[in-house]
Amino acid sequence: MQEIYKKIRNHPDFLNLVKTRKRISWLLTTIIIFCYFAFIIIIAFAPNIFSQKIFSDSVITLGIIIGLLIILLSILLTGVYVYIANKKLDEINNKVIKKITAN
Amino acid sequence: MNFSLLSILFILTSFGVYANDSQPVNPSEINITAVVMFIIFISITLGITYWAAKKTRSASDFYTAGGSISGFQNGLAIAGDYMSAASFLGISGLVFASGFDGLIYSIGFLVGWPVILFLLAERLRNLGKYTFTDAVSFRLQAMPIRSLAACGTLAVVILYLIAQMVGAGKLIQILFGLPYSVAVLIVGLLMICYVTFGGMLATTWVQTIKAILLLFGATFLALAVLNQFEFSFNALFTEAISNHRLGEAIMSPGGLISDPVSAISLGLALMFGTAGLPHILMRFFTVKDAKQARSSVFFATSFIGYFYILTFVIGFGAIVMLTNNPAFLDGVGNILGGNNMAAVHLSKAVGGDVFLGFISAVAFATILAVVSGLTLAGASAISHDLYASLFCHGKAQEKREVMVSRISTIMLGVVAILLGITFEKQNVAYMVGLAFAIAASVNFPILFFSMYWSRLTTRGAFIGGAAGLLTAILCVLFGPIVWVDILGNTKAIFPYKYPALFSMSIAFVTIIIISYLDKSPRAKEEMVAFDDQFVRAQTGLGAEGVVIH
């Protein structure tokens, strides 16, 4: 197995896989961490922002909407990652493995 | 049928002799539907355990159900493992008491999931075998790393177990009218039964069934509430504001998080603690490959997110339907049994005794599912990380390893029962917080660095992880909750309730510094070994139980 690992390590297709996966996973991680900590920091420093009402004839506040959006965003982003990984990353991965183990 | 007779029968069948125990039980408190539903749940799960026991032979069966669980079912089981009674009753109770603030907790408990998926799940599945420690010790020295990770695991498991046990005892006391210690005993014995005989397969099914019941029950509760307002959220909120003593303040951030340090510290603990919970990480080895691991997180996140939205509606529904209803209030206008009972009372208000019985049984099932997962993770740390890998240097006979894990399960169960009874009158709320802080400051950093940083050495991981563990424990011990509220001192030595910001920083910084300073030959080998580990983590080549075509 170590022989195979060695062959794969510097293979351009493998490097391409690593680069693509890295870009996607860190981009999505940054988005969720940023949104969550922005939410927490607003609550700590400027809770009044979240007390604003979104429509004049409704009691629903911005905070509740943002909170629900973060829940939906978490689900959406995991869905996006799984979709990309199944469609794209796995394809590259299988190609790399096939190429290396074939010869 | 006579209610009290049935309950005594129930206790007798569980324990043989408990007939003389004088119970301060109000017969009206015993709900026949609850008891019947619960007996049905126990019968089904014990039946499954019997079936699973016949299939559980090898170590891989015991720890990971042989890697045979589908991504969808694993997602449900993860949700069942994670949605504890604390999140169902506690968060809806928090929403009932202070509105918006409940949402802050729900979101914190949810946002760790995407992070687990993006950074950990696939690599963990590709590198590990039974526990997350396998992945960490892939290229690091087994002895120190496994001992540290086992300490981290056991600390998290035991703290979490105590909190669950005490919660379970109190909840069952109220719901079923059973004495506290009997309730703790029932939970402990059932959990020992599931895990010892049925291993991961039985545990997974208990969690799956519980997740379905809980999602179904919570959906029904939320729909019943919304139905009263013709599905207008605005009408529900308006009515809640006019009923609640805090008025419009329930729609905005309140006093839960007042200073920025606590806010960020709590946020870190919730987000990264989830990514370091051993019983959760273990679930990624129950699926076939990285692809299934990935999809389990998607399903789990969807179920958990949906569930938290429901708890928010349920909490507001409780404000509307319970606040001015004398049937659910004590003499001074507080809700019977405390805020955590809001969801339970609401179930009676919308669905009568039958639905109250259903929700009570679901709450009981919820506790069982969570403690079973915890106990299995703790037993694996003892048998796989300590016994097989350290004591036998990886050469343990498989049969003996499985036997050790079964014995560890029984021991952990007994410890949980005893501690549950010991801590009956104590404030245990800080224990879940401490468990998350330890998970975020020990398990998460060593797991994260081992996968992402080639320069990590054994020495760095061990000293850094130990520093994180120690800091988390000391900060809680000298913090406002334990030092002031429980031990009765006047002023806290460590001023913040949540230690994660400090303990995580100390763990990360120490790991980096010590690893850089480590010039031993062993350290060089570990850095070289990162290359092979990296290829396996990325491609899944050579991963446990994965066949490459």
Side-chain angles (χ1 to χ4, degrees):
Chain A
M1 194 53 87
Q2 281 185 336
E3 280 306 303
I4 300 177
Y5 287 155
K6 210 173 202 169
K7 271 191 208 157
I8 294 184
R9 197 177 303 155
N10 296 313
H11 198 280
D13 289 347
F14 176 71
L15 296 176
N16 177 31
L17 169 74
V18 171
K19 210 175 89 187
T20 317
R21 181 176 283 151
K22 198 173 175 181
R23 220 176 29 220
I24 294 163
S25 55
W26 282 106
L27 173 71
L28 295 177
T29 306
T30 314
I31 294 176
I32 194 71
I33 291 184
F34 175 80
C35 291
Y36 175 55
F37 281 96
F39 177 75
I40 291 282
I41 284 169
I42 288 175
I43 290 170
F45 284 98
N48 289 339
I49 296 178
F50 280 168
S51 308
Q52 289 170 24
K53 298 201 174 62
I54 42 164
F55 303 112
S56 54
D57 58 344
S58 163
V59 293
I60 297 174
T61 55
L62 186 65
I64 289 180
I65 296 297
I66 301 282
L68 289 177
L69 284 180
I70 293 182
I71 293 182
L72 296 178
L73 182 74
S74 302
I75 298 174
L76 181 78
L77 291 186
T78 51
V80 166
Y81 181 84
V82 170
Y83 181 79
I84 295 175
N86 285 352
K87 282 269 164 192
K88 197 168 164 192
L89 298 179
D90 271 2
E91 199 182 296
I92 309 178
N93 197 9
N94 292 338
K95 216 169 73 190
V96 174
I97 294 176
K98 224 176 222 162
K99 253 190 198 168
I100 301 289
T101 46
N103 47 53
Chain B
M1 197 182 293
N2 186 321
F3 289 4
S4 51
L5 184 78
L6 191 83
S7 76
I8 290 171
L9 199 76
F10 178 43
I11 301 165
L12 280 179
T13 47
S14 319
F15 296 107
V17 276
Y18 245 103
N20 286 333
D21 198 13
S22 58
Q23 310 165 31
V25 174
N26 176 358
S28 69
E29 280 180 9
I30 295 179
N31 184 310
I32 185 128
T33 330
V35 176
V36 170
M37 297 260 194
F38 186 64
I39 288 176
I40 293 174
F41 176 81
I42 291 182
S43 316
I44 293 175
T45 48
L46 286 179
I48 288 173
T49 307
Y50 178 75
W51 162 78
K54 285 197 287 189
K55 296 184 73 167
T56 302
R57 293 269 174 268
S58 65
S60 148
D61 293 336
F62 188 84
Y63 296 126
T64 65
S68 63
I69 310 291
S70 72
F72 179 77
Q73 187 179 0
N74 196 38
L76 263 178
I78 290 174
D81 210 351
Y82 194 66
M83 300 182 299
S84 60
S87 34
F88 177 44
L89 303 178
I91 291 182
S92 52
L94 195 57
V95 174
F96 171 74
S98 45
F100 180 86
D101 281 357
L103 196 59
I104 304 176
Y105 264 94
S106 329
I107 290 173
F109 281 123
L110 186 69
V111 289
W113 286 101
V115 175
I116 292 181
L117 173 65
F118 306 150
L119 300 182
L120 302 179
E122 295 169 77
R123 291 176 187 226
L124 185 66
R125 179 62 189 84
N126 284 341
L127 292 177
K129 194 175 176 190
Y130 302 143
T131 64
F132 85 93
T133 317
D134 293 331
V136 183
S137 55
F138 189 87
R139 68 188 164 95
L140 302 185
Q141 219 177 332
M143 193 76 151
I145 290 304
R146 286 203 189 257
S147 345
L148 175 75
C151 281
T153 300
L154 287 172
V156 171
V157 164
I158 289 177
L159 286 165
Y160 221 119
L161 264 181
I162 296 176
Q164 292 291 331
M165 279 300 202
V166 173
K170 294 195 171 146
L171 182 68
I172 294 163
Q173 203 176 13
I174 297 173
L175 295 181
F176 294 84
L178 291 174
Y180 177 88
S181 50
V182 176
V184 169
L185 255 175
I186 295 182
V187 171
L189 291 178
L190 281 170
M191 139 190 125
I192 289 174
C193 205
Y194 295 145
V195 180
T196 314
F197 297 114
M200 181 53 101
L201 191 55
T203 306
T204 302
W205 277 101
V206 171
Q207 288 166 346
T208 309
I209 296 173
K210 163 266 171 106
I212 294 170
L213 289 175
L214 184 59
L215 287 169
F216 178 78
T219 303
F220 182 85
L221 261 182
L223 288 180
V225 167
L226 287 174
N227 189 34
Q228 300 222 338
F229 295 93
E230 292 165 336
F231 293 89
S232 156
F233 281 94
N234 195 38
L236 167 67
F237 290 137
T238 310
E239 185 70 18
I241 291 170
S242 68
N243 278 5
H244 203 284
R245 64 182 170 82
L246 294 175
E248 256 191 74
I250 56 172
M251 301 299 285
S252 314
L256 181 74
I257 294 182
S258 40
D259 68 299
V261 173
S262 297
I264 293 167
S265 206
L266 175 69
L268 285 171
L270 294 180
M271 186 174 227
F272 298 105
T274 305
L277 291 176
H279 60 298
I280 297 292
L281 295 175
M282 196 178 174
R283 291 225 56 94
F284 292 113
F285 304 113
T286 64
V287 291
K288 192 167 93 222
D289 52 23
K291 185 176 180 179
Q292 296 298 320
R294 198 193 285 152
S295 56
S296 16
V297 187
F298 171 65
F299 290 121
T301 312
S302 308
F303 292 131
I304 298 169
Y306 168 67
F307 173 73
Y308 282 141
I309 294 176
L310 296 178
T311 56
F312 195 64
V313 176
I314 291 169
F316 271 93
I319 296 175
V320 172
M321 303 182 71
L322 307 180
T323 315
N324 296 321
N325 191 336
F328 302 108
L329 302 177
D330 62 13
V332 281
N334 289 326
I335 188 161
L336 288 171
N339 288 332
N340 285 352
M341 294 302 288
V344 175
H345 291 317
L346 181 68
S347 66
K348 184 170 180 175
V350 300
D353 274 337
V354 173
F355 194 59
L356 170 71
F358 177 75
I359 287 291
S360 304
V362 168
F364 205 157
T366 291
I367 293 163
L368 278 175
V370 176
V371 291
S372 302
L374 283 167
T375 309
L376 182 58
S380 314
I382 297 175
S383 59
H384 182 62
D385 295 332
L386 295 181
Y387 173 76
S389 303
L390 290 189
F391 192 70
C392 300
H393 302 286
K395 295 185 187 77
Q397 277 183 316
E398 194 166 323
K399 261 195 178 148
R400 295 204 63 156
E401 184 177 338
V402 174
M403 203 178 74
V404 171
S405 50
R406 291 199 158 116
I407 297 170
S408 316
T409 305
I410 297 172
M411 277 172 7
L412 272 174
V414 172
V415 168
I417 293 171
L418 293 178
L419 289 177
I421 293 172
T422 314
F423 280 88
E424 178 182 357
K425 303 254 189 296
Q426 310 286 319
N427 171 1
V428 293
Y430 69 94
M431 287 188 182
V432 172
L434 179 56
F436 268 80
I438 290 177
S441 328
V442 187
N443 305 352
F444 175 72
I446 60 176
L447 183 60
F448 177 78
F449 275 122
S450 75
M451 289 172 174
Y452 281 87
W453 195 42
S454 60
R455 300 268 336 230
L456 176 77
T457 70
T458 302
R459 206 178 285 171
F462 183 79
I463 299 179
L469 178 66
L470 211 65
T471 313
I473 293 175
L474 289 178
C475 286
V476 169
L477 190 63
F478 293 117
I481 301 173
V482 175
W483 192 251
V484 179
D485 296 352
I486 295 177
L487 297 175
N489 295 293
T490 44
K491 200 173 177 301
I493 296 169
F494 176 78
Y496 302 106
K497 273 188 193 169
Y498 312 105
L501 177 59
F502 303 91
S503 53
M504 267 184 90
S505 312
I506 285 181
F508 271 75
V509 171
T510 317
I511 288 174
I512 293 173
I513 293 177
I514 302 281
S515 294
Y516 266 125
L517 292 178
D518 189 355
K519 304 282 182 221
S520 61
R522 168 85 214 178
K524 278 209 184 69
E525 282 169 37
E526 286 166 359
M527 288 173 208
V528 173
F530 183 82
D531 289 343
D532 281 352
Q533 179 197 307
F534 187 70
V535 175
R536 172 158 157 180
Q538 289 281 346
T539 58
L541 270 175
E544 199 65 35
V546 175
V547 185
I548 304 291
H549 300 287

